[in-house]
Amino acid sequence: MTVLRTLREMSSTVRVLMLGNLVSNLAAFLNAFLVLYLLHEGFSAWESGVALTALMVGRVLGSAVGGAAADRFGYRWTIIGSTAATAVLTAAIVYVPNVWAAVVVSAAAGLTATAFRPAAMARVVELTPDERHVMTFSIWRATFNIGSTLGPLTAALLLTWFGSYVPLFFADAATSLCYCLVALLVLPADAARTEPKQDEKAEKQPAPGYGKVLTDGRFMLVVLGLFLTSVAYIQMNSSLPLFVTGSGFDSRIYAVMLAINGFMVIALEIWLSKWTQKAPIGLPMTAGMALLGLGYLAYLGPSQTWVLMAGTIVWTCGELIAAPSMLAYPGLVAPAALRGRYIGLATLATQIAYSVGPVAGVTAWHLWGTRLWVLTGVCAGAAAVCVAVGAGLTTRPRQRQMHVSTEPESEPA
């Protein structure tokens, strides 16, 4: 399946969600500028740091809350509610009178800012044939990366034009509000879920929650693999720059390594997905995680520039191979009634890893120096084993029934 054909045959609803993913990352200014704004408004560095911590905790919890809301209230209404609340809360940051209000509003804004993602991803899963999931989520990642890359440039232009942080937050809120209105007016109602008929006694039982997801042993192995992989991967932003400069290299070498990673992801990931989508989904995940570990282990070699570049290319290849399949897997194997929670739990594991990974990596660097890369390689290798056992290397996930709405997709609910 080619990239152009995937884009051409993609449903209009999925295109809207892709655009929403792009825009929401293009204008995600609150994360980067909250501390600077609060400092400018007279808050202390400690108070600003507490507010940022609350924001990050909210963003982590938002994945789990959003997954549960998606299964309970539906994908469309979760997206509408989440983006509407994000618009209000992001604008409200400008008016917080004290540190406690800043903490509460920041935490709530962080939660709602990520709560829509499990619902949006679950809707993409629902409207995408199984054999196209990897390619589709590769495109999803591309919209995320483009938005995240252009976002700082947009922020710089706004700061230059207005000379204030306030317009950044209003622009962030405006994009969330636009997404909300588009979801309200354009996104069709969720497709009816055609689950097998249950007897009357079973119908009276409460709907399954995260406890049901936690009993899926094979899926939880994959979730553990996603966590370990993310702990290893995030070292590129935390301990890797310390290693590069600590080994006697100029910080520009680290910048070149990041540029290599970014160029390869943008230029090659979607193209590579043409082949990885044909394999059993556990195979590219396992191979990519193994390559990630090997790339970091390469940094144990001679302290030469070519070693740094070669290691970066190897672990970036691991990212290219594994990442789209990692995004596609939770929704592909989830029962329809729990799809939001499956995606939410997988996302939660990744977000927690991104939070604790930098602290663990920097601590390991200060305690053990370059032996940090042994731990990182072992972490990625253990992730590969977990995924190989949990997802399998030779079989595709069980086929699920496509749920197609009987209403024309172009008509709003």
Side-chain angles (χ1 to χ4, degrees):
M1 182 65 62
T2 64
V3 179
L4 291 178
R5 183 178 174 186
T6 300
L7 289 170
R8 186 170 58 250
E9 298 180 0
M10 187 180 289
S11 76
S12 59
T13 296
V14 174
R15 291 195 186 103
V16 169
L17 295 172
M18 291 283 186
L19 181 61
N21 191 47
L22 170 65
V23 172
S24 63
N25 287 285
L26 182 65
F29 301 135
L30 187 60
N31 299 356
F33 294 97
L34 176 62
V35 169
L36 292 175
Y37 169 73
L38 292 177
L39 289 172
H40 183 267
E41 292 299 305
F43 289 84
S44 70
W46 180 86
E47 291 171 336
S48 303
V50 172
L52 180 63
T53 300
L55 176 71
M56 294 297 105
V57 171
R59 290 182 64 86
V60 170
L61 296 179
S63 300
V65 173
D71 291 335
R72 183 175 180 83
F73 303 111
Y75 307 144
R76 178 172 176 269
W77 284 112
T78 299
I79 294 171
I80 292 170
S82 172
T83 51
T86 300
V88 173
L89 291 165
T90 302
I93 287 289
V94 176
Y95 303 103
V96 293
N98 54 58
V99 63
W100 302 116
V103 167
V104 172
V105 174
S106 297
L111 188 148
T112 59
T114 55
F116 80 93
R117 296 189 188 280
M121 293 173 67
R123 191 69 166 122
V124 170
V125 167
E126 190 175 67
L127 295 173
T128 303
D130 293 347
E131 67 275 8
R132 299 188 187 181
H133 279 190
V134 173
M135 175 69 75
T136 300
F137 277 104
S138 182
I139 298 171
W140 179 273
R141 263 179 52 89
T143 62
F144 177 90
N145 290 328
I146 292 171
S148 299
T149 300
L150 296 180
L153 176 60
T154 305
L157 292 174
L158 290 174
L159 283 172
T160 301
W161 184 266
F162 293 102
S164 169
Y165 297 111
V166 173
L168 294 181
F169 298 152
F170 282 129
D172 192 339
T175 56
S176 295
L177 182 60
C178 288
Y179 194 174
C180 172
L181 293 175
V182 169
L184 181 64
L185 299 174
V186 177
L187 289 184
D190 296 351
R193 295 174 183 173
T194 54
E195 299 293 343
K197 289 285 290 181
Q198 304 290 330
D199 57 46
E200 184 177 347
K201 182 178 179 180
E203 288 179 353
K204 295 180 180 178
Q205 298 298 318
Y210 276 109
K212 184 69 173 178
V213 183
L214 295 173
T215 62
D216 187 342
R218 293 176 67 89
F219 178 71
M220 291 308 299
L221 269 178
V222 175
V223 170
L224 177 59
L226 296 180
F227 173 81
L228 294 172
T229 299
S230 300
V231 169
Y233 174 76
I234 199 61
Q235 300 311 315
M236 67 175 288
N237 293 327
S238 56
S239 54
L240 183 56
L242 298 177
F243 165 72
V244 172
T245 56
S247 299
F249 294 97
D250 191 277
S251 58
R252 287 174 293 185
I253 295 296
Y254 174 66
V256 172
M257 294 163 69
L258 290 184
I260 289 173
N261 171 260
F263 173 78
M264 290 179 65
V265 169
I266 293 173
L268 300 177
E269 184 171 284
I270 295 178
W271 173 79
L272 189 62
S273 296
K274 291 193 298 183
W275 285 273
T276 56
Q277 70 179 345
K278 299 175 183 178
I281 197 167
L283 186 58
M285 287 196 292
T286 301
M289 292 172 183
L291 281 174
L292 180 73
L294 289 174
Y296 280 125
L297 286 172
Y299 295 146
L300 293 170
S303 296
Q304 298 181 18
T305 302
W306 72 268
V307 174
L308 298 181
M309 302 306 168
T312 301
I313 290 172
V314 171
W315 65 254
T316 299
C317 286
E319 177 186 358
L320 300 178
I321 293 170
S325 298
M326 288 165 59
L327 279 178
Y329 182 82
L332 188 60
V333 301
L338 290 170
R339 189 174 292 128
R341 286 180 172 88
Y342 268 66
I343 294 173
L345 187 61
T347 306
L348 176 65
T350 300
Q351 293 296 328
I352 292 175
Y354 285 165
S355 299
V356 303
V359 176
V362 170
T363 302
W365 163 254
H366 284 296
L367 291 176
W368 301 306
T370 56
R371 284 178 291 178
L372 157 74
W373 303 121
V374 176
L375 297 177
T376 305
V378 169
C379 198
V385 172
C386 289
V387 170
V389 175
L393 301 178
T394 59
T395 58
R396 294 182 179 275
R398 62 183 182 273
Q399 294 293 309
R400 57 176 176 78
Q401 182 177 354
M402 289 290 291
H403 305 287
V404 182
S405 175
T406 57
E407 299 180 8
E409 190 178 271
S410 59
E411 296 180 4

